[in-house]
Amino acid sequence: MELTISTPALLFPAITLLLLAYTNRFLAVATLIRDLHAKYQANPSHSIIFGQIKNLRSRLTMIRYMQAFGVLSFVFTVICMFLLFQEFTTWANIVFGLSLGALLLSLIISLIEIQISTKALSLELSDMEK
């Protein structure tokens, strides 16, 4: 397959939308943390809070890595386009592969973060069932 400059350009809207979704996740987690902080201030002995804190810390870490690999994928895509423009096709193919790899890692971490977030909802449900 011959890589043209339009091929990596196809990733631009996908990566941009993905980063927007990751930012929305981050904002949602930030809101949860602020709400949890208010609950903790009101009742420091509430046991569910400690499980949520651990869960939110791991989710924040995951979101950080999701965003980092998404941005890295974006950077590799731009570099790939530059290399294609300079007609360094071998290097462009390698960098495009790195871009796809970073995007794949970002998506895998996103899937893991979704699993963690469902555990957080389970904690909330278990608290209400008691």
Side-chain angles (χ1 to χ4, degrees), residues 28-46:
V29 169
T31 301
L32 287 172
I33 290 171
R34 288 186 183 98
D35 291 344
L36 196 58
H37 184 263
K39 283 183 188 177
Y40 180 76
Q41 295 293 339
N43 186 4
S45 65
H46 203 316

Side-chain angles (χ1 to χ4, degrees), residues 84-101:
L84 286 169
F85 183 72
Q86 295 297 319
E87 297 182 4
F88 296 122
T89 55
T90 302
W91 283 105
N93 285 324
I94 292 168
V95 172
F96 186 67
L98 291 172
S99 175
L100 291 177

Side-chain angles (χ1 to χ4, degrees), residues 8-25 66-78 81 99 102-103 106-107:
L10 291 173
L11 289 181
F12 270 73
I15 295 171
T16 304
L17 288 173
L18 197 60
L19 290 174
L20 180 63
Y22 293 166
T23 300
N24 286 339
R25 278 188 183 165
M66 287 163 29
Q67 289 175 327
F69 282 113
V71 169
L72 190 62
S73 177
F74 205 30
V75 169
F76 283 147
T77 301
V78 171
M81 292 177 72
S99 175
L103 184 59
S106 177
L107 291 171

Side-chain angles (χ1 to χ4, degrees), residues 41-56:
Q41 295 293 339
N43 186 4
S45 65
H46 203 316
S47 64
I48 187 104
I49 290 176
F50 298 110
Q52 290 285 21
I53 289 171
K54 182 181 175 189
N55 190 291
L56 289 170

